[in-house]
Amino acid sequence: MSPTSPAPAPASEPEPAPVPMPVTAVTCLEDRAQITRTAALELTAGVRRLRLGPVSALAVDRSLHAELTGAEADVLDVRIVRAWTPRGPQAPTEDDAPLRRHAYALQEQQTGLEHHRDRLRTRLDVLDRLAGDLLRDIAEGAGAGESEPERWTTELDRVDAERAAHEDELAAVGARLARVAAELGSTHDALALAEEEPPSLTAHIELTVRAAAAGPATLRVTHLTPCALWRPAYRATLDGDRLTLRTDATVWQRTGEDWSGVDLTLSTARSTQATSPPRLVEDRLTLRDRSADERRTVDVAVREETVGDVGPLQVAGPPGVDDGGETRVLRAPAPASVPSDGRAHRVPLSSASTTARTEQVCAPELSPLVTEVARFTNPTGHALLTGPVDLVRGSGFTGRGTLPFTAPDAPQELAFGSSDTYRVTRETEESRDTATLTQRTVITRTVRLHVSRFSAPDETGERTVTLRERIPVSEVADVDVRLREDRCSPAPDGVDAEGIVRWDLTLPPGAHRTVTLVYDVVARAKVTGL
């Protein structure tokens, strides 16, 4: 080599072969997932750069964490490297599916028809210009005294015939092109259902490690990934007085990689929820004297209120996981597999049985149906989060309801559909009377409930139906609500603090009973609004 010849360029460092990094554990949160990957490595002494993956391109960079165990080694750097490789059109090979080869042939046919259509349109445009030139030549010749009707007629007929032929061919090509486009669209829809295109955006994890000595090591990498969520779901089966409650987790994920045989954990933790306390604002209270009209009258109004337990407020927007204000963690007892297809997949979590107390209940003011209600205590050993429940009784599926948040060993009830052997009708009457001396207004309301039991000829035995009817509850001293037990028939079996009156009726086969409820609403003279 001569002294003036350039020195050879140093060889670039070869790209390391990717080390497979499968997903081994997943913690699914309310709107994302924490992915855990593990791999066994054989390290050499010194500094080494590893390429792991491929992994989901949706992985959150700032959440990436790597940890080495089993060797004297340190992690110097870890990062996610993404590559964009657009998929260009290419001819299918013999290994491709017949459906894909058919789609490629249709695309080629569509391209050829489009080119033929463009050529026909260009030819028609030329013929239009030729016809215009011919008509102009005839007009100029006639103005100059020339008369060649035979030649002019021949030329015009030739141009019109050629133009008509091209227009017919253009219409035929357009119709054929529409049929090919429709068939190609159907083929693409079938391909979308049968196959999945490989992602154009791929990602790998680049890891730089420094080992004091060669030896085996275990690498554990964790990161967050969006496009994954879960919600609880239940299945309640009532068989006589035994109730079996199965708890499932409905999981959706579209992260770009399948979860196959992973240790699945479900958590209600909200990693994106702000932890700062709310800002305090001034709340000023002022006092004023009542006016003369306000001293003379008391304005009241009847309002409807839903009786329920104290719990978290319902907010508008997409439903979340109601965990009672405390983070709950549930684990799948067996390895789970959830493909990355964006569809709902149910993962079994637990199943438990308990003794349930069933009763036939009817609230005629809300519905004339008599419903079978099962009351039980939570037997699963963990809190039941709010979610849909499939109801199965006797002959099969009876409907779907909602199971509210229930603590372990807390009482709960589920309605398993109506019974067709009962019929309940409701009648109401109201009278108003004002006393002359005291000027008190007395509103008397009478409610009659007619209950009938329709039974088969061979059916025997009595059954109990629980009827519930409500009376108003007064919040002001000037309005009094009095239950007229002397006029109620039969006498109620109980009245709770919310004004719910209860009767437990025992009905033999084919029986008919009438229940009468009478109560008075007494208002003083200065009360208005009733």
Side-chain angles (χ1 to χ4, degrees), residues 53-284:
V55 300
S56 172
L58 301 178
V60 181
D61 296 74
R62 63 177 180 273
S63 65
L64 187 63
H65 176 73
E67 180 182 356
L68 276 172
T69 58
E72 296 183 4
D74 299 325
V75 176
L76 301 181
D77 182 47
V78 59
R79 66 183 64 186
I80 298 177
V81 179
R82 295 174 176 85
W84 174 260
T85 54
R87 306 286 174 174
Q90 53 184 358
T93 62
E94 295 180 355
D95 297 334
D96 289 323
L99 190 62
R100 185 169 295 278
R101 293 199 296 269
H102 181 58
Y104 181 79
L106 288 176
Q107 289 176 350
E108 292 293 322
Q109 186 178 1
Q110 185 184 41
T111 302
L113 289 174
E114 289 175 350
H115 292 168
H116 187 36
R117 181 191 58 185
D118 295 340
R119 289 193 296 268
L120 289 175
R121 288 177 177 175
T122 304
R123 181 62 177 172
L124 282 174
D125 185 54
V126 172
L127 290 173
D128 290 339
R129 291 198 300 267
L130 178 60
D133 295 341
L134 183 58
L135 292 175
R136 186 170 55 255
D137 182 53
I138 293 173
E140 291 176 355
E146 298 178 359
S147 177
E148 300 180 72
E150 294 182 359
R151 185 177 67 84
W152 293 341
T153 302
T154 303
E155 293 294 335
L156 286 175
D157 290 343
R158 184 178 64 82
V159 173
D160 291 340
E162 190 173 354
R163 186 162 53 181
H166 282 75
E167 288 177 351
D168 293 341
E169 188 177 359
L170 180 62
V173 170
R176 188 178 178 186
L177 188 61
R179 291 194 299 269
V180 170
E183 186 178 358
L184 183 60
S186 302
T187 306
H188 283 163
D189 293 340
L191 274 175
L193 296 175
E195 300 181 3
E196 185 174 354
E197 290 288 341
S200 300
L201 181 63
T202 58
H204 291 79
I205 297 177
E206 284 193 355
L207 181 72
T208 304
V209 297
R210 179 177 55 193
T218 302
L219 176 64
R220 181 175 180 269
V221 177
T222 60
H223 62 82
L224 290 176
T225 303
C227 300
L229 71 155
W230 79 282
R231 294 295 183 270
Y234 305 94
R235 182 183 179 90
T237 304
L238 182 62
D239 185 9
D241 60 349
R242 296 295 298 177
L243 185 138
T244 302
L245 186 63
R246 193 184 76 182
T247 305
D248 295 340
T250 306
V251 184
W252 298 262
Q253 70 106 348
R254 191 76 173 181
T255 60
E257 55 184 343
D258 297 339
W259 301 342
S260 301
V262 300
D263 296 332
L264 185 62
T265 303
L266 296 315
S267 174
T268 63
R270 297 167 176 86
S271 57
T272 58
Q273 188 176 21
T275 57
S276 59
R279 296 184 59 185
L280 299 179
V281 296
E282 292 184 356
D283 187 9
R284 295 187 179 185

Side-chain angles (χ1 to χ4, degrees), residues 26-48:
V26 176
T27 300
C28 199
L29 307 177
E30 191 179 54
D31 60 350
R32 63 200 62 207
Q34 182 177 4
I35 308 297
T36 301
R37 307 170 184 271
T38 57
L41 304 178
E42 283 292 337
L43 301 180
T44 58
V47 179
R48 182 183 179 187

Side-chain angles (χ1 to χ4, degrees), residues 2 8 49 59 66 89 98-99 101 107 179 182 191 259 289 297 303 341 370 395 416 432 438 440 455 464 489 510 522:
S2 63
R49 184 168 64 92
L99 190 62
R101 293 199 296 269
Q107 289 176 350
R179 291 194 299 269
L191 274 175
W259 301 342
D289 294 335
T297 61
R303 68 176 185 271
D341 54 7
V370 176
S395 59
F416 282 83
R432 183 183 296 263
T438 60
R440 289 190 175 187
S455 305
T464 301
S489 175
V522 182

